[in-house]
Amino acid sequence: MTQIFRAANFVRELETEDFRVLTAIELGSRRFSYVPLEQISFYCRYPRPETQFRLDRLHKFGLLQRNSQLGYTGYQLIFESYDVLALHALVEKNIITAVGSPIGKGKESDVFFGQGSDGNEIALKIHRIGRTSFRKVRKLRNYVKDRKHISWLYISRLSAESEFTALKRIEPLHLETPTPIAQNRHIVAMGLIDGQELSTIPELENPKEILNEILMQVERFFLEAHMIHCDLCEFNILINPENKIRIIDWPQWEEATHPNAQSYLTRDLINIQTFFKKNYNTTFEIDEVLRTCKVID
Ligand code: ADP
Ligand code: MN
């Protein structure tokens, strides 16, 4: 059983007290990498024996990391318990009723079908930033540089927040980027997009048109939403059977007013240029786009 289905089962089977103890550990982890019993007991307002009973139970389910090497015994959430908390919240808020099969697996996320409360299928993107991908997440690194201990769960939540903000901000442009539905912790619920990654399409019939459409969208993101994608590439562009393109995967976006805007935008454009040159022998002038976006004269 994959991790997410185990997590979905826990959402059904855990008791209110279990959720409360998990949430208490989450609160405590702002200050502690491993949260001690007294803190957990303080946050959940259960007496220590009751708290300890719940901790043992959750640990037995494999939902907690325990560490006794610190001069005290402390507890830490793991990705699975964070999944449980986020899914539970999305169910309680009536956003989803079920989690379905996987849609896609990126380097920094798992994406699943979800069932919306109105019965419609939606996409659930679970952000999973780990040590390996962290170097890439330049933007998030700035948020955490002052924190004493960095939690990967916290960084994954920041990543989800960043993507949700982006999706809301681009929505008015009607470029059919995924519709933002909700975000809780490290999970973003969004509209489902039909389409295939540009990288997996064997041969485009009209590469020049597709390229122009991509560039037009990049310009509109920049000029109308004042945003730079910052991870634009053939893996983050979906194309549907009618040749409509949708740009996805937004957590790394930056403001168009960022001091490095020119280099970020250039880097996105180089990725696109390289892909089209290599596969379709089609190219464009990067400077022309930069001029349209008024980042150079
Ligand atoms: P990552 O940062 O892990 O690359 P992506 O946002 O690119 O995350 O998502 C990974 C894959 O999941 C995508 O390449 C795509 O195939 C699929 N996917 C992501 N969002 C959606 C969506 N809203 N609808 C349908 N498929 C999606
Ligand atoms: Mn991606």
Side-chain angles (χ1 to χ4, degrees):
M1 192 164 40
T2 61
Q3 184 177 322
I4 197 66
F5 295 120
R6 264 176 55 96
N9 276 342
F10 280 126
V11 170
R12 269 192 300 274
E13 282 161 22
L14 292 185
E15 294 161 5
T16 314
E17 292 82 358
D18 298 318
F19 286 112
R20 198 147 150 166
V21 168
L22 287 175
T23 309
I25 300 173
E26 182 181 35
L27 286 169
S29 63
R30 291 184 197 160
R31 292 179 49 209
F32 296 89
S33 171
Y34 286 89
V35 189
L37 174 64
E38 311 79 79
Q39 286 287 319
I40 302 169
S41 167
F42 171 78
Y43 282 123
C44 66
R45 298 173 192 210
Y46 296 142
R48 286 188 199 183
E50 162 84 23
T51 309
Q52 188 64 61
F53 167 77
R54 292 290 158 185
L55 288 169
D56 291 342
R57 184 177 137 85
L58 292 163
H59 184 255
K60 200 178 73 201
F61 290 154
L63 287 173
L64 294 179
Q65 188 95 43
R66 178 151 67 192
N67 188 344
S68 311
Q69 318 266 299
L70 308 152
Y72 66 91
T73 301
Y75 295 85
Q76 196 179 58
L77 297 181
I78 58 175
F79 262 119
E80 189 169 1
S81 33
Y82 208 47
D83 293 351
V84 171
L85 283 176
L87 290 174
H88 177 68
L90 289 170
V91 170
E92 293 282 290
K93 292 187 175 133
N94 240 334
I95 307 289
I96 56 166
T97 53
V99 182
S101 50
I103 304 177
K105 187 170 174 58
K107 278 197 298 290
E108 277 125 24
S109 76
D110 296 320
V111 184
F112 296 90
F113 289 102
Q115 185 161 52
S117 41
D118 55 2
N120 282 347
E121 275 198 318
I122 62 172
L124 293 173
K125 177 169 172 181
I126 310 190
H127 290 243
R128 300 201 195 282
I129 310 291
R131 269 158 233 274
T132 49
S133 50
F134 190 46
R135 246 174 307 128
K136 258 187 82 186
V137 193
R138 169 187 33 77
K139 170 179 179 182
L140 302 174
R141 216 163 33 204
N142 292 335
Y143 286 118
V144 293
K145 64 175 180 242
D146 299 328
R147 287 172 73 98
K148 278 202 286 298
H149 83 90
I150 302 167
S151 142
W152 303 109
L153 303 183
Y154 177 67
I155 308 220
S156 299
R157 189 188 97 202
L158 291 178
S159 175
E161 282 172 356
S162 173
E163 178 153 44
F164 191 63
T165 304
L167 294 180
K168 278 195 296 197
R169 213 161 119 172
I170 334 164
E171 197 181 13
L173 270 55
H174 299 296
L175 291 176
E176 301 192 58
T177 42
T179 311
I181 298 172
Q183 175 254 325
N184 189 276
R185 297 180 174 83
H186 61 326
I187 302 186
V188 179
M190 58 177 117
L192 197 59
I193 284 188
D194 67 327
Q196 221 182 317
E197 291 171 23
L198 176 57
S199 61
T200 65
I201 294 180
E203 179 87 47
L204 289 174
E205 280 168 30
N206 46 357
K208 190 84 201 161
E209 259 172 59
I210 298 286
L211 173 61
N212 285 337
E213 176 65 22
I214 294 169
L215 297 178
M216 188 276 283
Q217 293 203 8
V218 169
E219 289 168 3
R220 290 196 54 198
F221 293 138
F222 193 93
L223 291 169
E224 292 173 39
H226 312 289
M227 294 167 76
I228 309 169
H229 185 285
C230 291
D231 194 17
L232 191 64
C233 61
E234 61 272 27
F235 306 102
N236 291 331
I237 300 174
L238 302 186
I239 304 193
N240 79 358
E242 287 100 59
N243 275 326
K244 279 203 170 152
I245 73 145
R246 285 82 183 268
I247 296 181
I248 60 162
D249 200 0
W250 284 86
Q252 305 207 55
W253 73 280
E254 288 284 5
E255 296 285 348
T257 51
H258 191 285
N260 299 333
Q262 184 182 336
S263 82
Y264 295 156
L265 185 57
T266 304
R267 197 181 50 188
D268 276 356
L269 293 167
I270 288 174
N271 291 343
I272 298 304
Q273 193 184 51
T274 307
F275 176 81
F276 277 91
K277 221 185 240 169
K278 182 167 157 241
N279 293 282
Y280 296 104
N281 199 23
T282 300
T283 193
F284 66 97
E285 285 291 332
I286 287 183
D287 279 1
E288 225 171 83
V289 180
L290 296 180
R291 266 194 295 275
T292 305
C293 293
K294 302 187 179 75
V295 294
I296 61 169
D297 294 328

